[in-house]
Amino acid sequence: MKAARAELLLMLVLAMLVVGSGVWTIVTEHESRRLFVELEELKREQDRLQSDWWRLQLEQSTWATHARIESTARQRLHLGEPGQNQTRVVAGAPD
């Protein structure tokens, strides 16, 4: 009788372990799929941000060209080349 009871208890424990293992496998697979979807979304976001970054770099290089800065200085700040009476030549320090 004790042997049959021990065998039944062992079978019950093994059945619980099998069910637990199955549930754990399902949970792990679900989490894996969820993380994969999140990874794909983050990759798309990274691609979008990379595209924005390159566009902003191009825009910055366009706005920072010498001709653009000179044009802005002349138009907005009314700057121009100094005349001869506005320039001075300063001799360097003696050696």
Side-chain angles (χ1 to χ4, degrees):
M1 182 89 166
K2 283 189 175 186
R5 203 171 213 181
E7 190 175 301
L8 181 63
L9 184 60
L10 179 61
M11 293 296 264
L12 184 61
V13 168
L14 289 176
M16 287 173 46
L17 288 174
V18 167
V19 169
S21 174
V23 169
W24 180 257
T25 301
I26 292 168
V27 168
T28 303
E29 185 67 25
H30 176 73
E31 182 69 10
S32 173
R33 287 180 183 166
R34 188 189 66 76
L35 290 173
F36 180 76
V37 168
E38 184 179 344
L39 175 65
E40 291 300 313
E41 289 172 359
L42 289 172
K43 283 181 179 180
R44 282 192 297 274
E45 178 73 6
Q46 180 185 22
D47 290 343
R48 188 187 65 75
L49 290 173
Q50 187 69 32
S51 176
D52 287 350
W53 170 253
W54 288 116
R55 191 173 58 249
L56 289 171
Q57 289 292 314
L58 180 62
E59 185 178 340
Q60 180 185 21
S61 68
T62 301
W63 285 99
T65 61
H66 179 72
R68 172 82 175 117
I69 293 171
E70 183 178 353
S71 171
T72 301
R74 288 182 188 277
Q75 291 173 359
R76 290 186 185 171
L77 302 176
H78 307 292
L79 296 179
E81 303 222 6
Q84 286 185 351
N85 59 348
Q86 294 175 321
T87 57
R88 292 187 189 164
V89 177
V90 178
D95 291 332

